[in-house]
Amino acid sequence: MPRLSAGQRHRVSFSLNGRPVAGEAEPRLLLSDFLRGVLGATGTHVGCEHGVCGACTVQIDGVPARACLTLAVQAEGADIRTVEGLAPAPGRLSVLQESFREHHALQCGFCTPGILMSLDAFLRQRPDASEAELRYMLSGHLCRCTGYVPIMRAALAARDRLREEPNA
Amino acid sequence: MGADVTAETGWVGRSLPRVEDAALLRGAGRYIDDLGTPAGTLHAAILRSPHGHAAIEAIELAAARAAPGVVAVLAGAEIAALTASLVVGVKAPMECWPIAIDRVRYMGEPVAVAVARDRYLAEDALDLIEVRYRPLPAVTDPLAALADDAPVLHPTLGGNLASDRRFSYGEPDAAFAEAAVKISVETRYPRNACTPIETYGVVAEYDPGLDAYDVLANFQGPFSLHAVMARALKVPGNRLRLRTPPESGGSFGVKQGVFAYVVLIAAAARTAGAPVKWVEDRLEHLAASVCATNRVTRLDAAVSAEGKILALAWDQIEDCGAHLRAPEPATLYRMHGNMTGAYDIRHVSIRNRVVLTNKMPTGLNRGFGGPQVYFPLERLVQQIAVQLGIDPLEVIRRNLVPADAFPYRTATGAILDSGDYRAATDAALRQGGHAELVARRAQARAEGRLYGIGYAAVVEPSVSNMGYITAVLTPAERRRAGPKNGAQATATIALDPLGSVSLHVASAPQGQGHRTVLAQVAADVLGLRPQDIRVITEIDTARDAWSIASGNYSSRFAPAVAGAAHLAATRLRERLARIAAAQLNVPADEVVFAERRVRARDNPDNSLPFARLAAASHWAPGTLPADAEAVIRETVFWTPPELTAPTEADEVNSSLCHGFIFDICAVEVDRVTAEVRIDRYVTMHDCGRVLHPGMVAGQVTGGFAHALGAALYEEHAYGPDGSFLSGTLADYLVPTAMEVPEPVILHHETVSPFTPLGAKGVGEGNCMSTPVCVANAVADALGLADVTLPLLPARLAEHLFAAETSPPDRPARPVAKPGERQLFGEGSATVEAPREKIWAMLLDPDTLAAVVPGAHGIEKLSPTNFRADVTLGIGPVKGRYRAEISLSDLRPPKAVTLTGGAEGGLGFGRGTGHVTLTEEAPGRTVVAYCYEAAIGGKVASIGGRLLDGAARVVIGQFFQALATQAGGGRRGGFFAWLRSLLPWGG
Amino acid sequence: MKPAPFDYVRASDGAEVLDVLHRQGADARILAGGQSLLPMLNMRLARPAVLVDIMHVPSLQSIADDGTALRIGAAVRQAELEARPDLARRQKLLAAALPWIGHAQTRSRGTVCGSVAHADPSAELPLLLVALGGTVHLRSRRRHRAVEAGAFFTGMMATDRADDELIEAVSIPTARPGAGYAFREIGRRHGDFAIVACAAVVENGRARLGIGGVADRPVAQDMPGPDDEALDEALDAFAWALEARDDLHATARYRRELVRRLGRATIEEAARCRA
Ligand code: FES
Ligand code: FES
């Protein structure tokens, strides 16, 4: 790839929730800003821009990662999944999303998309994750509303439900 | 009132799934930064002070204005020309601007605003603004700020004391004179904040034709601040249209503080001639949003030999930071009616002082004033038990307000609405497994482990009286200002032509699920399902019913807002019943609303669909009975009559409702690491009627997590020079799922007689009870009389570790205190060069150019004054600085003092070094130096962990270069010299 | 909080990387996982002229196990190493310490060599490298060299890497039969920078203890074994020699005490876990 120069916009394309997307980005544009500002996918939130809060967590090539610590140009050609891609159909929620709703695992909902993206990847990778492992994984996210108790409950319930019906 | 909704079958009281969630879970929430903006919207970035206290000597904006994409750049003078100072809540000669005018008073204070095509370009422009600061001595400690010789923040005030009031209730002096014992505590409550994950956001527009502002901000209220904003923008209230977005990513009080930025960004939009959007970043939020006050308290109690508290004497010194920004000093007065907590104490004296220091201005924060009061009060109760040798539970029981005393008027004027504190306490002990914890403690102690149990009993006020803050004024001042009181809540319910129901309240929720609960409330009243009600909670001051009390604070939702919605729905129902009566041919009081139909009480078949009745006033107003008006919309304003203005004797019913909390905390402190592990936390709540158990549980676990953070991890820390030290989320430690245990939540319900639904607030209680409960447990575990939050393991360890003796070959160096950004260093080296040669070098700009690390060129201003542009870097951290060096106390060729300072985008440093040259042998010189340096600024707040070391490296580089220049090199003798410079050796 | 402008080069082979480093030296920064660099860019603490993305260079992507060491290429992510099924067997210290690095959501992107290059004094990987006596492989257009970990870290975020050099790989010694390994860390919260991190190796009755989070770089020292009564004295001397400092989260005193107490506990654990 040639050198992309500062101050100029370059075409970046990748797959977003299974659909090809493209937009223009300066080399310095963060993936979080690209998703939200250029592509209009505002479900991914920004809470700290230094990698601590986890609100911006998306899946890059299947693994959870901070969109605020990724440049848009780094995502060229990648497979990106965001919270907008979690629900199986309009009007239906995924098992994980449904579990969050049932257990009141969100209040303001600002941290939620990032947490869902982490849990979604983790539960797929480790369907038998223990409570301790889930809690540890969750520690990569800050939630200021819930005190984590209902989030843990929702995560455990989703794990159990997915174990029973892995294709749900 | 409201009796009809307690039916078993009602929606209220059930944990329904929230209507908010479907959108939020799909990433379709509408937070401020997700909403479209008008075409041509520009973006602002804010330059902030790197100093805690400094005069602005010059500010150069031209380069920034000329930068690509930049439309406007404004500093204090430009803002001041368009606005007026924010109104200050006490009668004191001082101003309060949203941006620094001539002087910065806290690190992070806005200094300039750049407006550009996008945020990236706006931040580029900030890099081009040159500000020349003259640092002033700073004061960050509230007691130090009261000293006669303290640096003064606001010269017009003549000191740092903004308010000093004394109160007396009952006969405290007599009680103290007669008491068997007097027991005291002195506490310092630290600064912290609930740091919502979404930061502030403002989009502002100015219409010059109308001289009107239109602002969208994730403001949470209280809307009394609308008046403050409009006055600052110099427009009548109707020319400031303030809107809130549908969703807000948490607030916990903190987003009250966005109001100062509304003024700033609105003024910037006016100058830019286009809409301007600003979204605060996390560094800005931590340094310059708002946090809770820190408070120094001395609390004395007159106590009987049995542990009955006869009188309290409070001396509170409240630190509101650099500006007294509205509604402060409200934190200090919010609890004024409850200064006796859950206890029956008839004699109270209070002295309240408000001081200003070089720290972020304070504001609303969950618990608002509660943690600062309950920390000393409940520490005192524990100390009474320890000092009298009584079980702390006994002390609590002996002092609790008895059940038959409700409604109970406190000594300071609050009316405690309902409760049975002893029953709730006993139930908590029983259901919380207290006996087991006591056994565990005995067992642990027998094994030599450190285990403790703490308690806290608190009263949780909710629905603030808008008049409580006027207690800061003297009765005479209040008379002049006119009475202030009440807590107006509003609700509007409307019917559309298809007969469906919309409900609007001015509650500006920040994630608490208001829409769900209100739908439940209205559905019960109207016999509908919650999904039949569409609830709107965002506010538009140009269109909606609102009042100064509107907003989302003081836990007013369930008791006041939901109550107002209930009243509006009830009134609508009564009016509809009159129309239905005519159609069903029964008296209005026999009309029943149920199952989406309206029917005759005694003949269920005589009915009609609700929607049809509800649409009637739209379609056929002419057919309405003569005694009924059209029923399309009903707006209710409700304010509780109990919330009266403060009396001449300064009694004030500061809040409408008073929940009760009793907490038990069991901890174990690790003997090796001094880490605190919560073994069990039990929290008993009486929050009146529970409208939605799931949400109440969420409020408790959420508040508990905040409080645990305050107890163990979080602090807005400042160095004595005013540098802010917790500038990132890697230093401001918000607990994660790993740190927060699950509390045992219990309820003991006594319905509030003062609220329409019998509910009381619940969201803030644990922020009041938990910090001190954890502290009491740790005090019990370690046998401590004094505990300070946050409970840093390193601080607790001082009580665990045996004395340490430094090895004899290691002379004690001056050691900076934790958080203090003062560096000391010393060293010496032998240089193979004559003393005169080294001396000559020190005075030579070319040598200095070569030895000042990263210097681009040295300008000699005078024989002893030099100026340089330098680039300094540690690892990837690089910045450009303006450096000045001067030489003084010249004693050629023996000694010289170098004084230097550097300032740049990443921070600043100042230091003094004394160099002495001794000729050890001909051609061989011993160069000895010692230095003292202070560093601060951006790097100090975001990389404090690395900063001290980095500064040492730079200082080391300087002396290393000096040695190299002197004819040595890195090898040989100089290498050893270099090693000795660096404190960690080679 | 947005980065200052820079050019971006997505390198497809090693030569391209070295070319940019050769031409731009200190003005160029390697972009691997970006988990240390991006926060600095966002805060404008770092302002490189160009970033060279090395994650698409095939020669940097592998982990090689030659029987005595794992050679980990510059583009290998921490999560990839962590996921190796035989990791605990090959080097228990790595398996024990990796979960302490940031969070799963940052290890997914962060690289092993990137953490070494960043040289944070409390980072886990530099500590392991020093404690185990690993090697850093550096390459520039001028030369290729291998630097012992103990000499590589020269101070606070400072290393022996020259401006035109790329850290091509690090070699981490694998477990030796009969040696025991243990890792312990104390931070304020899980995932925080270590207040004190200890990595211990016990072999033939002798111990080696590495300490992170205290000095300006990770430091390792040979120590008497856990049963030797000279151990306490050695730990005390080590604790003092590290020149602990006070900061917001802990005092120097606390750090010294943890070096003594946790250091001993870690050595004892290593002795117990001898393979
Ligand atoms: S915004 Fe990316 S981690 Fe906080
Ligand atoms: S739900 Fe508000 S931050 Fe998690």
Side-chain angles (χ1 to χ4, degrees), chain A residues 105-112 142-146 151, chain B residues 197 249-250 252:
Chain A
L106 65 158
Q107 288 180 25
C108 78
F110 203 76
C111 67
T112 315
L142 300 180
C143 173
R144 274 309 227 180
C145 296
T146 62
I151 298 180
Chain B
I197 304 298
F252 323 107

Side-chain angles (χ1 to χ4, degrees), chain B residues 8 66 112 168 178-179 294 302 362 399 560 697 723 854 953 962 965:
Chain B
E8 306 284 290
S168 180
E178 288 160 21
N294 54 301
T362 58
N399 287 287
S723 50
V953 170
L962 186 66
Q965 199 69 14

Side-chain angles (χ1 to χ4, degrees), chain A residues 32 45-57 65-69 110 140-142, chain B residues 197 282 729, chain C residues 42 106:
Chain A
S32 43
H45 296 155
V46 169
C48 73
E49 293 181 305
H50 54 280
V52 184
C53 77
C56 69
T57 304
R66 308 292 203 216
C68 75
L69 298 187
F110 203 76
H141 294 272
L142 300 180
Chain B
I197 304 298
R282 182 57 61 186
L729 288 179
Chain C
N42 291 358
T106 58

